[in-house]
Amino acid sequence: MNKGVLAQATIRASEALDAVYRTFEMPAPSTIEGCPCCIDTRGTDVLLATPLREISGMALWRYVSGAFLTVGDEQDFRYLLPRILDVSVSDPANANNPEIVLGKLSLAGWDSWPPHEKAVIEMFVGAWFELALATDLAEADEGWIGWAAESVLCGAARAGVQLDRWLLRLAAPDVAPVLADIRDRFPREPSGFWEDVPWAFHAVRVFLDQGRA
């Protein structure tokens, strides 16, 4: 049953991703600026010379890891954002952690973007969270549960998104195994990225404690 749920969640994420591509469609920037001592190691020439949908996860990994720190600005981030999100769900083994990817939205100042752009990003994050839940549930059929849902949840918090609706979803009966696993691990083994959003970490702990025996 969980395999069917995973297939449905994959379709929903693909549809949400298509909306991101349409919304942020723009010409490639002429250049990507960065710290002179770091820019040569980021492979930015490949990012601009390769068609957007063909950029590999590893090529993006170097850019995303340094975005707004040693390389890049809002313009090139907006151009690359659809593909960054794309590889995050289609090739997670070669992508940055969801916590890092979504955390870059805060550095990009996405809270000041036009409402329709913010809406399409929020729609995608919701679909990504559903896909992460479905992935964790599918793994539960194999006898173990991953951390995909928690990673996206933490990433959403690092993007500045309030977690109420995500926690409400996590409390639904159909994802009970994922909730039980997170409850068992908190606060002993949470994602280390929660340290950057203590308000969210506290909210998750309060939510989880409400259901403890």
Side-chain angles (χ1 to χ4, degrees), residues 42 60-71 96 100 104:
R42 297 293 174 177
L60 278 171
W61 192 94
R62 290 178 290 175
Y63 169 85
V64 174
S65 62
F68 301 107
L69 302 175
T70 60
V71 65
N96 299 81
I100 294 175
K104 296 298 180 177

Side-chain angles (χ1 to χ4, degrees), residues 51-154:
L52 182 61
R53 290 178 183 257
E54 298 177 14
I55 299 174
S56 71
M58 285 306 299
L60 278 171
W61 192 94
R62 290 178 290 175
Y63 169 85
V64 174
S65 62
F68 301 107
L69 302 175
T70 60
V71 65
D73 57 22
E74 183 179 347
Q75 179 185 16
D76 46 74
F77 179 77
R78 286 168 59 88
Y79 166 71
L80 293 167
L81 180 58
R83 184 57 178 166
I84 292 171
L85 299 178
D86 190 347
V87 299
S88 293
V89 298
S90 66
D91 189 19
N94 288 311
N96 299 81
N97 293 337
E99 296 96 326
I100 294 175
V101 170
L102 294 176
K104 296 298 180 177
L105 288 169
S106 291
L107 297 181
W110 82 299
D111 55 344
S112 65
W113 292 358
H116 73 283
E117 293 182 349
K118 292 193 294 183
V120 79
I121 293 298
E122 290 176 355
M123 181 179 68
F124 172 80
V125 175
W128 191 2
F129 186 61
E130 286 294 331
L131 178 59
L133 286 171
T135 299
D136 286 344
L137 287 171
E139 290 171 347
D141 287 345
E142 306 298 327
W144 66 291
I145 297 179
W147 291 28
E150 183 193 345
S151 293
V152 176
L153 185 69
C154 182

